[in-house]
């Protein structure tokens, strides 16, 4: 089970992620233990701040398909994956497995 920190993720989409990732712990607050992965809504937070706050943690950034500036910002910040929201919904379990060593 991976601990996944959700940054800027709204409650509706958090519920969707919980359904897609039932074997993982989703948290919204940083704790003493570092997360195994971060999923961040690029449209709601500054990608550079997220990357600076967790430089050693894999980060998946997502936004709407029309937000090309946000997609570029996530890539520029060095996120491990920058994808559109619909692709995250389709591939969430695969991305978690790919970016973490936690089964």
């Amino acid at each position: 089970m991976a601990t996944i920190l959700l940054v800027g993720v709204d409650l509706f989409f958090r519920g969707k992620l919980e359904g897609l990732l039932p074997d993982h712990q989703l948290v919204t607050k940083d704790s003493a233990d570092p997360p195994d992965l971060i999923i961040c809504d690029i449209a709601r937070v500054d990608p550079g701040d997220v990357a600076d706050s967790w430089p050693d943690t894999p980060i998946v950034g997502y936004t709407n398909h029309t937000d090309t500036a946000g997609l570029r910002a996530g890539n520029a910040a060095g996120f491990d994956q920058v994808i559109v929201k619909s692709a995250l919904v389709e591939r969430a379990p695969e991305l978690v497995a790919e970016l973490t060593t936690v089964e």
Side-chain angles (χ1 to χ4, degrees):
M1 173 172 69
T3 299
I4 302 169
L5 177 62
L6 304 179
V7 179
V9 176
D10 66 55
L11 287 174
F12 175 77
F13 197 62
R14 178 190 173 140
K16 185 174 263 298
L17 289 172
E18 286 173 342
L20 293 167
L21 301 168
D23 297 330
H24 302 287
Q25 179 183 15
L26 304 180
V27 297
T28 56
K29 295 187 184 210
D30 199 14
S31 66
D33 296 323
D36 300 303
L37 178 70
I38 295 166
I39 296 177
C40 134
D41 184 342
I42 297 169
R44 299 182 75 189
V45 297
D46 182 323
D49 289 347
V50 175
D52 290 345
S53 295
W54 293 280
D56 300 323
T57 305
I59 302 172
V60 174
Y62 72 89
T63 190
N64 294 320
H65 69 280
T66 58
D67 185 9
T68 55
L71 294 169
R72 284 192 300 271
N75 281 314
F79 285 9
D80 297 272
Q81 290 281 328
V82 179
I83 58 178
V84 296
K85 191 175 192 176
S86 60
L88 178 57
V89 170
E90 291 173 11
R91 298 187 52 227
E94 298 160 32
L95 287 169
V96 172
E98 178 183 316
L99 293 171
T100 66
T101 56
V102 179
E103 298 280 327

